[in-house]
Every structure is written in structure tokens, then in C-alpha cells.
Amino acid sequence: KDIEAAVSKTWIDLGLGEHIYAVEMQAQAIHDSYRSLEQMLRVPTERAALGEITLETMLADQLPPDMFMIRRRVMDGKIPDAAIRSTVGLICIDCKFPLDNYQRLVNASEDEVAGYQRRFLRDVRGHLAKIAQDYVRPEKGSAEFALAYIPSEAVYYYLVNAAFDLLRDFGRRGVQVVSPLTLSHKLALIKAGVHAQRLSENAVRVSNDLHSL
């Protein structure tokens, strides 16, 4: 019995060791993936590609294919990263957000923070102004607003807290800054509006058919 108990304990210990090793490997894989993602966000070209991929995935998951376009020419030959056909016009989305000075701000010393914050907010102001100029064109068929997509909740909430007045001013000019979470809510509302319009159009057709009968 003592021998059996010892053997059983050995197998249990071996099994526990294997489980611990597997957990450690999974934790390392998650850590490596996080570091890889963090490195991608530091490189402008890879960051832009990541933003485009996440944006396209969200649109494909939440909207029917006939409601959105990816990198198509729209007003005056402009090419937004995406555009949504809505009841209020074409909603253009830009996801190339300037984050270089934000990365420097996060890693800055206490003496450097104020300077990098000014540079980052200057970058944001210039980028949002360009979106307003290129994509808020109701006379050309756009909606009265466009979306500036930030693929990072951390950056979005930093702006909400540190630059609320800036976001509010550009919101009045028709540029709405969104994160993955807030964009998801907006897509649900846009889809509901299009669905309601289609139901209304179908109701009108049915009414006309009844009158014809």
C-alpha cells in the first residue's frame, strides 16, 4: 500500500508539473503576443495596418456587405480607410491616427511630459482638421460628420480626459473621435437607422401595391 501510494503521488506530482508547465507556456505566449502587439503599435506602417485590419473586421462583423466600403475613392477622389452608406449620407472613417508623440509622452520623464503632451495634441489637432476638410462634405454626398478611429482604448480615454475641449470643438465641426468600443455602439445605431429606412420603404411599396389593387 505504501508503494502504491508513493507511485500514485509521483504520477500526481508529474501531472501537476505538466499542468504548471503548460500554464507557464501559455502565459509566456500571451506575454510574447502582447510585446509583439506593443512593438507593432510603435511602428507607424504596422500600426496603420493593424488599425485597418481591426476596423475592417468590426465593419464586416456588424454590417452587411452592401453597407460599407474599404479604401474606395469617394468625394473628389479622396480615399478614406472605410466608408459607410447610411441614411444621412456617406460616413467616412480614418484610422491613421498620429501616435508617435503619444508613445514618447508615455515613456517621458516628469520634466518632459508637458512638452510631449503639447506635441501630441498638436498632432491630433492637425489630423482632425484634415479629416474635417477631406471627409465632412455634405454638399458632395457625405454625412455631416466623419469618424476618426483610434484602435486603442487607452489613447482614446487619455484624449477624453486630457483634451476634452479639443474633441468637443472638432465634434462641432463634424469629426467624431471613436475607439473600438464606441465605434461598435455607433455601428449598431447606423445599422438600426438603415434597417428602419428599408422597412419604411417596404411599407410604402406595399401601400402603393394595395392602392393599385
Side-chain angles (χ1 to χ4, degrees), residues 15-27:
L16 181 60
E18 291 177 355
H19 285 301
I20 292 174
Y21 178 75
V23 170
E24 288 176 347
M25 290 300 97
Q26 290 177 355

Side-chain angles (χ1 to χ4, degrees), residues 127-139:
H127 185 67
L128 298 184
K130 190 173 188 311
I131 293 175
Q133 178 182 346
D134 290 349
Y135 301 129
V136 184
R137 307 282 298 279
E139 73 280 3

Side-chain angles (χ1 to χ4, degrees), residues 65-87:
D66 62 336
M67 270 191 65
F68 69 93
M69 305 178 291
I70 301 295
R71 296 198 59 77
R72 299 277 187 86
R73 291 188 182 278
V74 289
M75 304 152 294
D76 296 333
K78 302 294 183 183
I79 305 178
D81 294 307
I84 301 172
R85 299 182 181 93
S86 76
T87 57

Side-chain angles (χ1 to χ4, degrees), residues 109-125:
S109 65
E110 186 176 348
D111 295 336
E112 298 173 326
V113 167
Y116 281 124
Q117 184 183 57
R118 284 194 301 271
R119 295 176 195 176
F120 173 56
L121 296 182
R122 180 195 62 202
D123 293 343
V124 172
R125 186 178 292 104

